[in-house]
Amino acid sequence: MSIDTLRRSARATVSGLPQGFWWLWLSTLVNRTGAFVLTFLSLYLTVELGHSAWFAGLVVALHGLGGIAGSPLGGALTDRWGRRPTMVTMHLAAAAGAAALAVVTSAWAIAAVVLLMGVAMQAVRPSINATIADMVPAHDVRRAFALNYWALNLGFAIASIGGGAAIFLGYRTLFVVDAVATVLCAVIVFLRLPESRPEARVDTAGEPVVEAKVSMLTVLRDAPFRTLVLLNLLVCLVFTAPWIGLPLTMAGQGLAPSAFGVVIAVNGIVIVGFQLLVNKLTDKRSPVVLLSLSSLLFAFGTGATALADSSLAFAATVVVWTVGEMIHVPTNAAATARLAPEHARGRYQGVMGMSWAVAGFVAPIGAGAIVGGPGPGVLWAATAAIGVLAAVGYLTRLRRVLGEDDEGGAGGRADDTDAAPAAPTAKTEAKSGAESVGQVSAGS
């Protein structure tokens, strides 16, 4: 493939999207570039404050617990308040939490702040994704979400490198920088991003159409969407497990904690370098096939970890499940887009976001318990089995609902052709949090 071909492919990937999307993309990049709290929180708690690795893991798990509550809260506020007010409010709340961590020293005060940060950081996700769906035509939603996801990982990579280089300034300084970056993100949203919540529909006589009220219970009663959420939860559990289980497995084989840092960096490098190419190759493909394929890649990649015996072999497994990640996230977003009614986008995204938050809370605890009990081989066998189960579930349970249509693989309900993408970005929070715990555990 020539340089000119790659250039044309990249241009096609980023062209044709509205200006508002790019302001949102920039706010995402700025926010994630300064995201130091979860990445360095466990080191701050153990190295700086002298707490145990167990306590550090508990605090990070509380962040995931806060996300479980924050996701439906953010979804409801997105539909009631609007997209921009919810984004600005929750960004500022997260910034206040980051600033508070630079000041408080009490163990339980820190735990409370992290819990509330989990609520705020997850509550903002439904509004972000609803805005993308509002602004971007339905046939470009998957591409737009992939670009936003790329910004998340690009920012995360910059934060990891910059934070490591700036660690000599002190953890509290990094937390202040996190707060400033989050405030700047809120300012960009407030000044440059218009409110995109759809106006109430009217009938042919010009009278407002009364939409059916949608509660969280209503969303959960939507059988196809409920199936999509449950299958996504299985995939999230498989994806989150390596961020705890991998460093523990490598440490058990006598590899240094620094080896895990090098191996897991492969995840970010592959995403930043190849996300746009993967999105181009998978565009217009059957969502059911892509979701099944990504689940099998997660299963194979994590399952093969049980056979790895060197840093290079572990890195190869990371490449496999990272490709699964790059396929799964935008495809799951597009699938949710097809199932969410326009006037309930926030709530649907809130429920989908809960699957990521639940996995971010459950998987670190479960992975640590399995590695410390039956052993890492059992963990990787379990993740492989769960991944295969998810692949079968997509093929057998969602083929009709997410089948191909005239747009070339963007199947779904005929009456919901421009709905919102899912809220997987909580995964990035779970990723950085789980990574931090893993580093402490491996070095303990």
Side-chain angles (χ1 to χ4, degrees):
M1 184 177 291
S2 68
I3 298 298
D4 287 340
T5 301
L6 290 174
R7 187 181 295 112
R8 287 194 299 270
S9 178
R11 187 181 298 114
T13 300
V14 302
S15 64
L17 297 174
Q19 184 182 41
F21 167 79
W22 291 111
W23 284 113
L24 183 64
W25 186 92
L26 177 62
S27 72
T28 297
L29 180 63
V30 169
N31 189 23
R32 292 305 300 161
T33 298
F36 298 118
V37 169
L38 286 182
T39 306
F40 297 98
L41 179 60
S42 61
L43 292 175
Y44 171 64
L45 292 172
T46 54
V47 176
E48 182 85 1
L49 300 184
H51 294 295
S52 66
W54 173 87
F55 180 76
L58 173 63
V59 171
V60 174
L62 286 175
H63 186 277
L65 183 63
I68 296 174
S71 192
L73 171 64
L77 293 177
T78 295
D79 289 338
R80 291 181 181 179
W81 283 5
R83 284 56 162 144
R84 192 173 68 162
T86 303
M87 266 189 273
V88 171
T89 300
M90 294 306 165
H91 279 316
L92 292 178
L101 285 178
V103 178
V104 299
T105 56
S106 165
W108 297 112
I110 292 174
V113 170
V114 171
L115 176 66
L116 294 176
M117 284 187 69
V119 174
M121 293 172 71
Q122 184 64 15
V124 77
R125 305 307 179 187
S127 57
I128 292 173
N129 294 314
T131 301
I132 293 175
D134 296 337
M135 290 183 169
V136 178
H139 62 275
D140 279 333
V141 164
R142 184 181 183 279
R143 177 164 65 98
F145 191 83
L147 286 168
N148 198 61
Y149 181 68
W150 182 59
L152 278 168
N153 282 279
L154 179 60
F156 176 74
I158 295 172
S160 298
I161 297 171
I167 200 70
F168 66 90
L169 296 175
Y171 295 100
R172 290 183 174 87
T173 301
L174 294 182
F175 297 160
V176 171
V177 173
D178 190 324
V180 171
T182 308
V183 169
L184 179 58
C185 172
V187 170
I188 292 173
V189 170
F190 181 76
L191 295 179
R192 306 302 304 180
L193 196 67
E195 174 56 50
S196 63
R197 182 172 56 172
E199 297 180 358
R201 293 190 298 171
V202 296
D203 58 23
T204 54
E207 296 295 326
V209 175
V210 179
E211 302 280 8
K213 292 185 177 180
V214 178
S215 65
M216 289 299 173
L217 184 59
T218 307
V219 177
L220 293 174
R221 286 173 176 168
D222 184 335
F225 180 69
R226 184 175 65 239
T227 301
L228 183 67
V229 171
L230 291 176
L231 291 174
N232 186 64
L233 174 59
L234 294 180
V235 174
C236 291
L237 291 172
V238 175
F239 166 71
T240 308
W243 298 91
I244 293 297
L246 182 57
L248 296 177
T249 300
M250 294 176 66
Q253 294 194 12
L255 297 173
S258 59
F260 168 71
V262 174
V263 168
I264 207 61
V266 171
N267 174 261
I269 293 170
V270 171
I271 292 176
V272 172
F274 297 99
Q275 176 67 64
L276 299 184
L277 176 60
V278 169
N279 187 58
K280 182 69 175 179
L281 294 174
T282 57
D283 194 29
K284 308 302 182 183
R285 306 293 181 181
S286 165
V288 170
V289 171
L290 291 177
L291 289 170
S292 299
L293 174 61
S294 65
S295 299
L296 291 176
L297 288 170
F298 275 119
F300 180 74
T302 58
T305 306
L307 306 176
D309 58 0
S310 66
S311 295
L312 182 61
F314 283 116
T317 67
V318 172
V319 171
V320 174
W321 57 255
T322 296
V323 175
E325 176 187 353
M326 291 190 289
I327 295 173
H328 178 84
V329 171
T331 306
N332 184 67
T336 305
R338 304 297 294 180
L339 301 181
E342 181 180 276
H343 68 288
R345 285 172 173 167
R347 288 177 173 85
Y348 269 69
Q349 292 178 54
V351 172
M352 179 58 74
M354 285 180 65
S355 63
W356 293 98
V358 169
F361 177 70
V362 173
I365 297 173
I370 293 174
V371 171
V378 175
L379 173 65
W380 305 124
T383 57
I386 294 172
V388 171
L389 178 63
V392 173
Y394 284 121
L395 286 172
T396 60
R397 305 294 296 176
L398 293 175
R399 179 177 291 277
R400 181 182 64 83
V401 176
L402 299 180
E404 293 181 303
D405 65 5
D406 294 337
E407 293 182 7
R413 299 172 182 170
D415 58 338
D416 294 324
T417 58
D418 184 22
T425 49
K427 153 263 177 185
T428 307
E429 309 302 338
K431 171 193 285 190
S432 54
E435 177 187 0
S436 300
V437 178
Q439 290 170 334
V440 173
S441 302
S444 302

